[in-house]
Amino acid sequence: MSDDIAYAKIHPAIGVARVGNSTRDDGWYYGPETPDPDPMPPGSLKDDTGAIKRQAARFRLYGYDSAGKPVRELTATDSSVAIEWGVHVANQKAAWYEFKLALDIPDMQGQSTPRRNKGIDRRSLVIDPGRKTVRAGTGQSAEFTGGTFQGIAVPLGRMHTDERGRLVVLGGSGRSAAKNNEELVSFGNNNGWYDDISDGPVTATLTLDGRRIEVRPAWVVVGPPNYAPDIKTVRTVHDLLLDVFVGNGQLPRPAPVSFHHHIEPLLRRFSDLQWVNKGFATHFGCAGPEDFTTTELLRRLSKPGTTYRELRRQVYTAMRDYERDGLAPMTWPWCYGDGMASRPKSPRQYMTLSALQMDMLLKWSDGDFVDTPWSGFPRRLEDAPLAEQPGLLDRAALDFCLADAFHPGCEVTWPIRHATMFAEPFRILHRPEGQAEPDYGAELTPQKALAADGPLHAQGPGGLTRWMAIPWQTDTASCRSGYESTAGLGPRYDPHLPTFWPARVPNHVLTERDFRIVNKEGGLTPSEDEREAAFANRASWLRGLRGAYKDQLKQAAAEWHRFGVVETRHYTVGDNKYPPHVRVESVPGFALEGVPDDRNLVTLHVPEAAAADDDARGAALDALAEDIGLAPEHITVGYIDKLDPFGEDAANGTGRHEGPS
């Protein structure tokens, strides 16, 4: 019956696609559709030429009754259903404002950010192919073509429908370039450059038995590749938005707190970061002092009562609190934050968990939780009850996106944490098609950005990704760990910690070579000491980049697809010495013969004048190499504006930033 459906919604509310340069017909894959899907088989992200496949965002229509209950999925296989999908993506990056720090944090008070590419016609900088449509069930597809950057045609991807009429959106090819070959000088503010990242509204026209049905629209974000597809960060975009909507009363607070549903998955994420950062591997990884995947530790942490209260309390109090910890790098999580700079002075130098995550951890530490077994999320969406499917789709898309440091971020950045951006929980508020956005002037201040008539309200095509780095590859190549700004570091320096975004942009990885030793593959018969050493070894994920920092930015923009992808492999020796599922870097496409595993392990930030002077850069490199006992080729040297948001280090000496010991 159709009269039981009052309206429909598109899910996921925010879908996430990712760029890729594979040109094969099958050079794409579906993004996660449940929060805990099966691991992707090795080879899923790259084709046989070494090109990266695109991640597709798939959208579905669900009919709801007047009480807001999902009734059924609406597909083109039902003769009573007619669907026309519409997508309007755009890229506004080059016409937007530079990124320094998030404009909603105290660090930016009194500051402003100028326009990128000032003096150039704004319209010529926006890549906008216009709204495209396809009718479900007809085999139609549509290319996101027609948009240009200063006269250069820049395709942003395409869309089609699957066999049931669901919408499939594919992003761009990862292309980035400069019209006049401008030099890459910045992690995220490179004038003259464009890329094919995009975002925009997803809409549908629906008739059911000839009756027009209201459809609540969705949004698609096209982000960079996911170089570690089976790993979640400790604070995902879903965690962040759940905190926003619980905090303002739009969603109920999870109750009761469940160890197996709420706490254990969070703790396991700390351990899962062992596959992308050696600091996390050493402490939270296999055989580490706080490996949250071990049966015995989980048994004690899940036991209510007073017996293990102090153990629970120690885990809770290890988490960072800005008022208590300030600039302390050793509190958890060991990740940089929104206010990260080479001269640490902001408590937001490092990140915290969300307020809701901390509240649930506090209840757990106090013993106010249940240890009832939980079966977990279904591996496939089709295995979930219909009523749960829309929420699973919404969560899955955002659970694999980062809400680590919004500096600026990977898929989205700081505006996403403002409730004014949403029509309802998780659903972006759309600006009416064709309605012009106000001109915010030559510079954007926090006051303008946060004003009632500012940009944090109804969004148009390209509204979410315009705040991000341009091109995206320069930020990816700048997401490192253990940043340092001067020689004379002393014994407390750790080159592996803290870190930027390792769940999407790995820092240190288990190589294919080392995994073969651990797993005794190819007829190898290593000793136990050799296996242990191979497992403990982690190679710098950026070791394929060459030269000084600016040289590496240029190479990353051209060769981003050559980075290895962290894939799930099965440990088959059968001695239970290592985890049954091991995440291993696929063989990179760079020429690595003779390249040490630790190349580019350490990144040294120097004044801009020193970075441009070969002698000064070399002297800084030699001094640091001697101080920390590493070979010069293990160190990248340059002026890294990501660490200098207000230009304090541009010409002057830099302060010192210590990572945890």
Side-chain angles (χ1 to χ4, degrees):
M1 297 292 292
S2 65
D3 56 3
D4 58 348
I5 294 178
Y7 61 93
K9 290 185 180 184
I10 303 172
H11 293 278
I14 302 174
V16 179
R18 297 181 186 275
V19 298
N21 66 333
S22 176
T23 59
R24 303 295 174 89
D25 290 341
D26 62 349
W28 58 276
Y29 62 95
Y30 287 119
E33 295 188 320
T34 77
D36 192 18
D38 286 321
M40 299 184 70
S44 295
L45 262 69
K46 287 196 174 188
D47 66 22
D48 56 8
T49 71
I52 287 186
K53 298 179 183 180
R54 289 183 282 181
Q55 175 176 300
R58 178 160 56 178
F59 295 89
R60 307 175 189 228
L61 265 176
Y62 286 84
Y64 286 75
D65 64 19
S66 57
K69 177 182 177 182
V71 175
R72 69 180 188 271
E73 184 184 356
L74 303 170
T75 70
T77 58
D78 183 340
S79 61
S80 68
V81 175
I83 305 167
E84 182 178 85
W85 293 100
V87 176
H88 189 171
V89 294
N91 179 314
Q92 296 188 43
K93 287 184 178 183
W96 197 235
Y97 297 88
E98 291 184 1
F99 181 88
K100 292 183 179 180
L101 294 177
L103 288 166
D104 61 349
I105 64 174
D107 310 65
M108 280 298 291
Q109 291 304 309
Q111 302 289 333
S112 63
T113 58
R115 281 175 168 159
R116 293 166 172 156
N117 298 292
K118 60 184 178 181
I120 297 176
D121 175 43
R122 300 289 96 187
R123 290 171 297 179
S124 73
L125 299 169
V126 176
I127 305 166
D128 187 351
R131 185 173 183 267
K132 310 290 183 177
T133 62
V134 295
R135 294 203 324 270
T138 63
Q140 290 180 332
S141 63
E143 301 287 331
F144 301 145
T145 53
T148 61
F149 174 83
Q150 293 194 283
I152 302 170
V154 184
L156 295 180
R158 64 180 174 87
M159 65 176 179
H160 63 272
T161 59
D162 70 6
E163 67 282 357
R164 300 197 65 186
R166 299 160 178 151
L167 177 67
V168 179
V169 178
L170 295 167
S173 64
R175 173 184 175 189
S176 64
K179 182 178 181 181
N180 298 309
N181 296 315
E182 287 90 344
E183 183 183 12
L184 289 168
V185 298
S186 168
F187 77 98
N189 299 306
N190 291 289
N191 287 329
W193 279 77
Y194 64 88
D195 63 24
D196 59 3
I197 295 296
S198 66
D199 71 279
V202 176
T203 56
T205 301
L206 169 68
T207 58
L208 189 58
D209 285 330
R211 179 170 60 100
R212 185 74 171 263
I213 303 293
E214 174 201 353
V215 178
R216 297 186 185 176
W219 205 269
V220 65
V221 171
V222 180
N226 184 347
Y227 291 103
D230 298 325
I231 297 175
K232 295 182 184 180
T233 190
V234 294
R235 188 182 71 183
T236 70
V237 171
H238 180 268
D239 295 326
L240 181 80
L241 293 186
L242 183 62
D243 180 71
V244 169
F245 300 126
V246 168
N248 67 13
Q250 289 182 276
L251 291 177
R253 187 172 295 273
V257 172
S258 161
F259 175 79
H260 296 290
H261 190 181
H262 301 123
I263 305 301
E264 180 183 350
L266 171 59
L267 299 181
R268 282 183 176 271
R269 292 182 199 171
F270 281 82
S271 294
D272 285 344
L273 291 177
Q274 69 179 292
W275 308 114
V276 287
N277 178 277
K278 187 169 183 175
F280 278 86
T282 302
H283 191 87
F284 299 107
C286 177
E290 293 190 84
D291 179 357
F292 290 120
T293 68
T294 60
T295 302
E296 176 55 23
L297 181 55
L298 289 174
R299 182 192 70 81
R300 288 183 285 150
L301 291 172
S302 67
K303 190 175 179 65
T306 60
T307 304
Y308 296 110
R309 176 180 291 171
E310 179 58 19
L311 179 60
R312 298 193 303 268
R313 182 181 288 123
Q314 287 190 17
V315 172
Y316 169 73
T317 57
M319 303 296 177
R320 181 172 293 106
D321 177 274
Y322 284 145
E323 293 184 6
R324 180 196 68 179
D325 301 310
L327 293 170
M330 277 299 290
T331 42
W332 301 354
W334 294 331
C335 299
Y336 291 120
D338 290 359
M340 193 274 188
S342 66
R343 297 170 180 258
K345 56 188 176 183
S346 167
R348 292 166 184 79
Q349 177 79 7
Y350 308 105
M351 68 165 284
T352 63
L353 298 179
S354 74
L356 181 60
Q357 286 176 310
M358 290 298 291
D359 181 67
M360 290 192 290
L361 284 168
L362 176 59
K363 286 182 168 60
W364 165 71
S365 72
D366 287 341
D368 183 11
F369 71 99
V370 297
D371 63 344
T372 308
W374 178 58
S375 59
F377 293 111
R379 296 291 190 176
R380 302 184 316 139
L381 185 71
E382 293 73 17
D383 296 333
L386 176 87
E388 297 177 9
Q389 290 180 14
L392 290 173
L393 286 167
D394 291 351
R395 176 168 181 168
L398 301 177
D399 245 6
F400 290 87
C401 296
L402 303 190
D404 294 356
F406 282 142
H407 200 287
C410 283
E411 299 88 6
V412 292
T413 187
W414 64 272
I416 203 72
R417 61 187 170 208
H418 289 263
T420 55
M421 298 276 289
F422 296 88
E424 61 182 62
F426 305 107
R427 200 168 294 275
I428 295 294
L429 179 63
H430 291 215
R431 192 167 67 244
E433 184 83 16
Q435 183 182 100
E437 185 174 24
D439 185 337
Y440 301 112
E443 296 199 348
L444 189 62
T445 64
Q447 291 72 29
K448 289 181 184 178
L450 301 174
D453 59 351
L456 305 187
H457 299 273
Q459 298 297 299
L464 299 189
T465 56
R466 61 186 173 180
W467 306 86
M468 309 299 287
I470 182 169
W472 66 266
Q473 294 97 331
T474 52
D475 201 21
T476 293
S478 301
C479 301
R480 308 189 181 198
S481 62
Y483 276 110
E484 263 306 339
S485 58
T486 187
L489 306 180
R492 291 173 62 85
Y493 172 65
D494 186 337
H496 303 103
L497 295 168
T499 172
F500 269 123
W501 310 327
R504 289 296 149 270
V505 184
N507 306 135
H508 324 106
V509 290
L510 182 65
T511 65
E512 173 79 18
R513 175 202 66 223
D514 285 333
F515 176 67
R516 289 171 61 83
I517 295 171
V518 172
N519 207 35
K520 298 183 178 180
E521 293 183 358
L524 297 175
T525 57
S527 68
E528 289 307 299
D529 284 348
E530 290 171 329
R531 294 177 70 214
E532 191 171 325
F535 185 81
N537 187 50
R538 295 290 191 272
S540 169
W541 186 70
L542 295 172
R543 66 193 183 282
L545 299 182
R546 303 178 298 275
Y549 175 65
K550 283 187 181 179
D551 301 319
Q552 295 183 14
L553 296 183
K554 181 178 180 180
Q555 184 186 354
E559 302 181 23
W560 56 273
H561 58 283
R562 299 189 189 280
F563 288 114
V565 175
V566 178
E567 303 174 324
T568 298
R569 308 289 185 89
H570 296 289
Y571 175 62
T572 59
V573 174
D575 58 4
N576 296 318
K577 185 170 183 178
Y578 298 104
H581 296 100
V582 178
R583 270 76 181 199
V584 181
E585 177 200 44
S586 66
V587 177
F590 300 104
L592 294 178
E593 184 176 355
V595 173
D597 283 352
D598 282 342
R599 185 159 77 175
N600 300 324
L601 172 64
V602 173
T603 303
L604 176 62
H605 170 65
V606 298
E608 191 169 16
D613 185 302
D614 289 344
D615 291 339
R617 193 173 65 245
L621 173 63
D622 291 342
L624 179 61
E626 181 178 356
D627 188 57
I628 61 178
L630 289 176
E633 62 186 321
H634 296 170
I635 303 169
T636 300
V637 181
Y639 170 69
I640 303 158
D641 63 331
K642 188 180 187 76
L643 279 64
D644 188 25
F646 306 127
E648 296 171 326
D649 303 337
N652 302 314
T654 61
R656 173 177 172 177
H657 165 234
E658 286 191 352
S661 58

